[in-house]
């Protein structure tokens, strides 16, 4: 019986679990509606864990009866709650159906009321329409009546205005006509949609006829007052003509243009006679008289005719603009005829006076008539900028150094719309100016050469040494002046021609002044000469540059760097001055490359001088009997000699290149790249070497490495950290020399260990280098053959895809590994000492 009850309870529990298994969404909803912290309410409730929580120890089982009673009490309360809820839900269905029926009845009643309201609203709308129908008819009638009255008034005004206009035209009452005509034209615009009516069309034709008659009559009046034939003006200003101009404003624009054209032509007729091509005052040397004449004429016009023409006609400006067009045409024709008589000073004089006059026009007038004036337009469109405004002030007093190129730009002044309106005619003849500048620059370069020969190189004082040559600043000051002057004359092809001249003399300055004055070396290859070898035996040194010569080289290097930077700025300025369409033709890259070559040659000379000075010491090192050295002492004499030459040259070079530190760094790098391979080559010539000799060489190598690492700041009171790129080169090169000596110090027995040690330390697969090591150890040829064969066998196989060759490349040791090996080697040397 007990087992049967247990089975029923298990089945009941399984059924309960199956029934109460809820989906995660439902479970989440329940937790949100009925939040609870009771473990019994959790979806993942575990009875075993819950019991273990209630009875964590055996001692806690003593309270099991209390716990069971509490749980039974809780179960009883839950049963009561469930029973209450279930009983409460018994009548819910019936109550719900009753509530639904009541809601449906309420909706039907509401729908009926809405329908009644809608019917009443439609009846009200219909009633309002019937009430307002008559009011709308009255509104339409009022609008039509108003339009009719307005149209009749306009028609009355038009008819009366046309009659009055015809009568006033016959009486030449232009003052009244001006106001009336504008009103008639405005009224006639209202009848454009009624032109199909014969009477309206007839009135319109009468207005056009009156306008045509007015135009012909006004032109005749101006012709009578200002006859086109002859140079003398018989007429003069009058009130009739002033009113006629007001009428012309209302008429066809061609009438206004014809009046302006005839008046200006008659006003400037005297100018064409006075400055004919065969007249002496027509030539460029008297160009001032042209501009003085027009100034007088404009003043005369303002006094006599200023009030006759409306202000918006800008007649004063139109006269000036037409004068400029005529002057440009006449001067161009005259200069073509007498081209051989044009000189530079005369041309510049004429251009200066002309540009001054154009500037005066810009101050006096706005340029509003340039596009619609009666005169011809310029042959080429004018640029909207005035290229000489930027450098207008202070062009005659340019500073001695070309600091203008670095100055921030001034705010742009207002554009000059009259720039080039006359001066454009001088552009075809600017070749005279360009040829003159070519000649002047040639003489300037020759003077620079003569001055350098006379005054000699700069002094060796560190305060003056390495400074930029004064001639460089003078050259660019002259370039600046020429560029500004030419940009005032033209921003077209002449600027390109001037740029070509600049390029020519930049190259000449680079070769004649800079490269031409670099000191000459005794040996271009940097090697030893026979005389130097003979001097070495006598204890003398090879020929070196003096301190003055070193200062000169540094000065030329600094000058070339200044020229390089200033040439780049000059190129940018030229591109700003020249027309946009010609910007691509401005290119000074070749000249900048030339100055870069001078800089490179100067650095190479400094490197070659110091390198050659160290050659005797390295030769002495290779000739020392290293096999007979008995003990390790201080650094060898040849190391002292190398350090002495470095201390003599490097401080002078550093002080003279203080303003160009990057080139001093280049000098240090190039010297190191030249000296270290040469030192290693002389190291290979030291053969045979004993163990003690190798240790002495290792000590010497470390001393040289220390000096080279300190090379950039040697002899300086201010110690600066050497650039990382330079330090890397020194460490890599001198570490190789130390590894060579370490291999030489290693015993060659057993051979396999020696070969493997060589490959590991030097990472050099070239058999020739290995043989040099064997020669330094003093091995016989028979021993060398077996060692070289073993070396070839022990070489690691090249990586797949690599090109085969006598020399294999291995991964070089890292700087950390090299430094640790060197420290071990230093400790070994100290123990031996």
């Amino acid at each position: 019986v007990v087992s049967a009850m247990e089975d029923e309870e298990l089945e009941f529990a399984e059924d309960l679990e199956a029934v109460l298994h809820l989906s995660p969404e439902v479970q989440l909803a329940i937790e949100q509606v009925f939040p609870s912290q009771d473990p019994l309410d959790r979806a993942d409730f575990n009875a075993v864990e819950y019991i273990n929580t209630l009875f964590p120890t055996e001692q806690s089982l003593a309270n099991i009866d209390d716990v069971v009673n509490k749980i039974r009490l809780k179960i009883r309360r839950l049963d009561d709650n469930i029973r209450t809820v279930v009983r409460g839900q018994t009548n819910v269905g019936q109550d719900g159906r009753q509530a639904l029926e009541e809601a449906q009845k309420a909706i039907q009643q509401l729908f009926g009321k809405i329908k009644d309201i809608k019917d009443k609203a439609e009846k009200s709308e219909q009633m309002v329409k019937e009430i307002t129908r008559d009011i709308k008819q009255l509104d339409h009638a009022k609008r039509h009546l108003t339009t009719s009255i307005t149209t009749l008034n306009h028609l009355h005004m038009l008819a009366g205005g046309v009659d009055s206009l015809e009568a006033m035209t016959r009486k030449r009452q232009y003052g009244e006509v001006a106001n009336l005509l504008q009103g008639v034209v405005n009224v006639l615009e209202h009848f454009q949609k009624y032109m199909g009516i014969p009477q309206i069309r007839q009135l319109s034709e009468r207005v056009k006829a009156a306008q045509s008659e007015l135009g012909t009559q006004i032109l005749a009046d101006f012709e009578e007052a200002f006859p086109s034939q002859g140079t003398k003006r018989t007429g003069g200003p009058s009130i009739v003509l002033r009113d006629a101009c007001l009428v012309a404003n209302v008429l066809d624009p061609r009438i206004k243009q014809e009046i302006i054209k005839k008046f200006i032509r008659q006003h400037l007729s005297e100018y064409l006679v006075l400055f004919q091509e065969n007249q002496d005052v027509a030539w460029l040397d008297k160009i001032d008289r042209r501009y003085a004449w027009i100034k007088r004429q404009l003043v005369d016009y303002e006094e006599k005719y200023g009030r006759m023409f409306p202000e918006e006609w800008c007649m004063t400006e139109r006269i000036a603009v037409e004068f400029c067009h005529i002057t440009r045409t006449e001067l161009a024709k005259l200069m073509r005829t007498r081209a051989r008589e044009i000189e530079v000073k005369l041309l510049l004089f004429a251009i200066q006076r002309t540009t001054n006059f154009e500037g005066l026009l810009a101050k006096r007038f706005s340029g509003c008539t340039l596009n619609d004036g009666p005169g011809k337009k310029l042959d080429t469109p004018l640029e909207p900028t005035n290229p000489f405004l930027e450098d207008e002030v202070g062009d005659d007093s340019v500073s001695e150094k070309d600091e203008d190129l670095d100055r921030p730009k001034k705010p742009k002044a207002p554009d000059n719309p009259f720039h080039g309106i006359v001066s454009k005619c001088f552009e075809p003849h600017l070749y005279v100016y360009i040829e003159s500048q070519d000649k002047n620059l040639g003489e300037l370069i020759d003077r620079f050469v003569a001055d350098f020969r006379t005054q000699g190189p700069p002094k060796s004082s560190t305060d003056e040494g390495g400074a930029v040559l004064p001639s460089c600043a003078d050259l660019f000051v002259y370039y600046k002046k020429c560029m500004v002057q030419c940009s005032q004359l033209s921003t077209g092809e002449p600027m390109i021609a001037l740029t070509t001249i600049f390029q020519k003399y930049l190259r000449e300055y680079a070769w004649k002044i800079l490269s031409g004055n670099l000191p000459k070396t005794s040996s271009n290859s940097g090697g030893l000469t026979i005389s130097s070898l003979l001097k070495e035996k006598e204890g003398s040194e090879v020929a070196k540059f003096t301190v003055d010569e070193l200062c000169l080289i540094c000065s030329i290097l600094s000058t070339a760097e200044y020229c390089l930077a200033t040439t780049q700025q000059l190129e940018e300025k030229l591109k700003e001055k020249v027309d946009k369409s010609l910007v691509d033709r401005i290119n000074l890259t070749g000249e900048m490359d030339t100055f870069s070559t001078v800089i490179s040659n100067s650095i190479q000379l400094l490197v070659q001088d110091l390198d050659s000075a160290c050659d005797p010491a390295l030769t002495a090192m290779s000739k020392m009997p290293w096999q007979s050295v008995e003990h390790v002492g201080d650094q060898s004499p040849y190391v002292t000699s190398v350090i002495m030459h470095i201390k003599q040259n490097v401080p002078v070079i550093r002080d003279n290149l203080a303003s160009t530190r990057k080139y001093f760094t280049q000098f240090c790098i190039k010297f190191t790249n030249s000296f270290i391979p040469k030192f290693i080559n002389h190291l290979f010539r030291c053969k045979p070497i004993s163990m003690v000799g190798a240790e002495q060489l290792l000590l010497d190598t470390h001393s040289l490495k220390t000096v080279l690492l300190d090379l950039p700041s040697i002899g300086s009171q201010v110690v600066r950290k050497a650039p990382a790129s330079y330090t890397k080169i020194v460490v890599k090169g001198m570490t190789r020399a130390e590894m060579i000596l370490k291999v030489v110090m290693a015993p060659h027995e057993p051979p396999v260990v020696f070969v493997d040690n060589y490959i590991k330390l030097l990472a050099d697969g070239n058999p020739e280098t290995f043989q040099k090591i064997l020669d330094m150890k003093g091995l016989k040829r028979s021993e060398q053959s077996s060692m070289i064969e073993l070396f070839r066998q022990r070489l690691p196989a090249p990586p797949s895809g690599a090109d085969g060759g006598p020399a294999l490349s291995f991964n070089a040791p890292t700087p950390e590994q090299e430094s640790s090996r060197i420290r071990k080697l230093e400790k070994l040397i100290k123990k031996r000492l």
Side-chain angles (χ1 to χ4, degrees), residues 659-674:
S659 59
T660 54
R661 291 288 303 178
K662 62 179 180 179
Y663 294 118
F664 174 68
T665 303
Q666 287 186 22
F667 159 76
C668 294
I669 292 175
K670 286 189 176 182
F671 171 71
T672 305
N673 283 330
S674 172

Side-chain angles (χ1 to χ4, degrees), residues 466-682:
V468 176
L469 297 177
S471 58
C472 172
D474 294 342
L475 177 67
F476 282 101
V477 165
Y478 192 82
Y479 273 10
K480 172 75 172 182
K481 184 177 180 181
C482 292
M483 178 183 66
V484 173
Q485 194 174 45
C486 187
S487 67
Q488 294 178 356
L489 309 180
S490 171
T491 57
E493 288 293 335
M495 283 291 287
I496 302 299
L498 184 67
T499 302
T500 304
I501 300 299
F502 285 174
Q503 291 174 304
K504 172 184 175 182
Y505 289 103
L506 282 174
R507 291 191 296 267
E508 283 203 15
Y509 185 85
W511 297 123
K512 289 185 177 181
I513 307 298
L514 301 182
S515 293
N517 289 306
L518 283 173
K520 301 298 185 291
T521 58
S522 59
S523 174
N524 292 331
S525 63
L528 293 175
T529 60
I530 296 176
S531 59
S532 65
L533 289 174
L534 291 175
K535 288 180 180 179
E536 182 192 347
K537 290 183 179 181
E538 300 170 1
S540 302
E541 299 292 341
V542 295
K544 284 179 55 179
F545 289 141
T546 63
V547 175
D548 287 343
E549 287 174 330
L550 290 177
C551 292
L552 174 60
I553 296 173
C554 294
S555 179
I556 290 175
L557 191 154
S558 301
T559 303
E561 188 212 13
Y562 174 83
C563 290
L564 177 62
T566 313
T567 301
Q568 184 177 1
Q569 298 169 14
L570 176 65
E571 181 183 38
E572 295 172 359
K573 283 293 180 181
L574 287 170
K575 288 182 177 180
E576 291 177 10
K577 300 289 185 183
V578 79
D579 291 339
K580 293 181 180 178
S581 58
L582 303 176
V583 167
D584 294 338
R585 295 174 61 183
I586 304 287
N587 187 356
L588 303 183
T589 305
E591 289 63 42
M592 288 187 272
D593 292 342
T594 302
F595 288 117
S596 297
T597 303
V598 174
I599 292 173
S600 179
N601 291 343
S602 301
I603 294 175
Q604 188 59 39
L605 270 180
L606 296 173
V607 170
Q608 183 177 324
D609 177 60
L610 183 55
D611 202 23
S612 300
C614 296
D615 279 344
L618 296 180
T619 304
M621 176 191 76
S622 62
K623 292 182 178 181
M624 287 180 64
W626 294 104
Q627 191 176 18
S628 59
V629 176
E630 297 179 354
H631 62 276
V632 178
D634 294 334
Q635 63 186 25
S636 302
Y638 75 88
V639 176
T640 305
S641 176
V642 169
I643 295 175
M644 178 192 68
H645 289 302
I646 290 176
K647 288 185 177 180
Q648 286 177 351
N649 283 30
V650 173
V652 176
I653 297 171
R654 182 185 58 246
D655 293 341
N656 282 276
L657 295 181
S659 59
T660 54
R661 291 288 303 178
K662 62 179 180 179
Y663 294 118
F664 174 68
T665 303
Q666 287 186 22
F667 159 76
C668 294
I669 292 175
K670 286 189 176 182
F671 171 71
T672 305
N673 283 330
S674 172
F675 176 80
I676 292 178
K678 186 179 292 187
F679 173 73
I680 292 176
N681 287 335
H682 281 78

Side-chain angles (χ1 to χ4, degrees), residues 325-374:
H325 292 313
I326 295 174
T327 302
R328 186 162 65 94
T329 304
E330 293 298 319
L331 286 177
K333 189 192 306 180
L334 186 63
M335 285 189 290
R336 281 196 301 269
T337 306
R338 303 173 63 176
R340 295 184 178 179
E341 302 178 31
I342 300 176
E343 298 177 352
V344 178
K345 291 184 179 180
L346 180 62
L347 181 65
L348 292 179
F349 168 78
I351 293 175
Q352 182 184 7
R353 294 296 187 269
T354 302
T355 52
N356 290 344
F357 175 70
E358 291 171 350
L360 184 63
L361 292 180
K363 294 178 181 178
R364 175 64 178 81
F365 304 117
S366 64
C368 60
T369 65
L370 289 175
N371 294 327
D372 61 351

Side-chain angles (χ1 to χ4, degrees), residues 5 654 740:
M5 292 177 63
R654 182 185 58 246
I740 290 173

Side-chain angles (χ1 to χ4, degrees), residues 128 187 270 299 443 470 540 589 685 727-728 750 788:
V128 171
V187 172
E270 181 183 351
V299 172
E443 294 174 353
S540 302
T589 305
R685 297 178 189 175
T727 304
K728 184 177 180 181
I788 292 174

